[in-house]
Amino acid sequence: MAGHFEATPGGGAAVALDEVEISILRSLAVQLLELIGPGDQPADGEDPLAALFAEGPSKPPTDPALARLFPDAYGGPEGAAGAGKPEEEQELRERSAEFRRFTEMDLRTGKRDDALAVVRTLDALSPAQDGGAVLTLTGDECLSWLRSLNDLRLTIGTRLGVSDEDQGEEGSLYRLPDSDPRKPMVMAYLWLGALQESLVETLMP
């Protein structure tokens, strides 16, 4: 089980993690929470119902990692620029802005909830004498973990300059020398990918 998820009764999964792995996963999840932000909470005296229907931003985040987590629905500026006629480009920009305004806050809430699920399940572990533990997840927790692992890989991949279009890029990451300052981040990126793949395979029928 070490390093690989195995199915558990009821549609869940379990994996053995050592003390270092637990610490790394928790630290990354907390950093993801900080990146996404605390969310919009009603201020003192503010109508909670009005805050619930408050509109989100209409422009993409300036942080590249956040922009990867919350991409434009219609291809962003590049997609709009390739639309053809100026009026078509403008229409795509307006549609992307409108979609973002009414969906990004909910998306952020979902990503925060998933990252919190990772932190809480790790905090609930009962470590053995060597500091390791077996993480056992319910079916719902597995889905939260899958989504959060994907968010973490997208974030780290953006910091490393790895895009969805890069073919064979991960192979070159394996060959980085130990002296490269990106090495720890690369190792985390590759490990998270293996963990995610293991969980996906475990949940497949």
Side-chain angles (χ1 to χ4, degrees), residues 41 47 82 85 99 177:
Q41 301 296 329
D47 182 0
K85 299 178 181 179
F99 186 86

Side-chain angles (χ1 to χ4, degrees), residues 6 14 36 43 56 86 97 101 122 138 152 156-157 164 167 176 191 200 205:
E6 294 183 3
I36 295 171
R101 187 163 57 248
L122 291 173
T138 65
L152 285 170
I156 296 175
D164 295 332
Q167 299 296 326
L176 281 179
W191 174 56
V200 169

Side-chain angles (χ1 to χ4, degrees), residues 17-37:
L17 300 170
D18 63 33
E19 186 177 10
V20 173
E21 291 170 334
I22 293 170
S23 177
I24 291 173
L25 281 168
R26 191 185 190 285
S27 176
L28 289 174
V30 169
Q31 290 179 58
L32 181 62
L33 283 167
E34 293 173 348
L35 177 66
I36 295 171

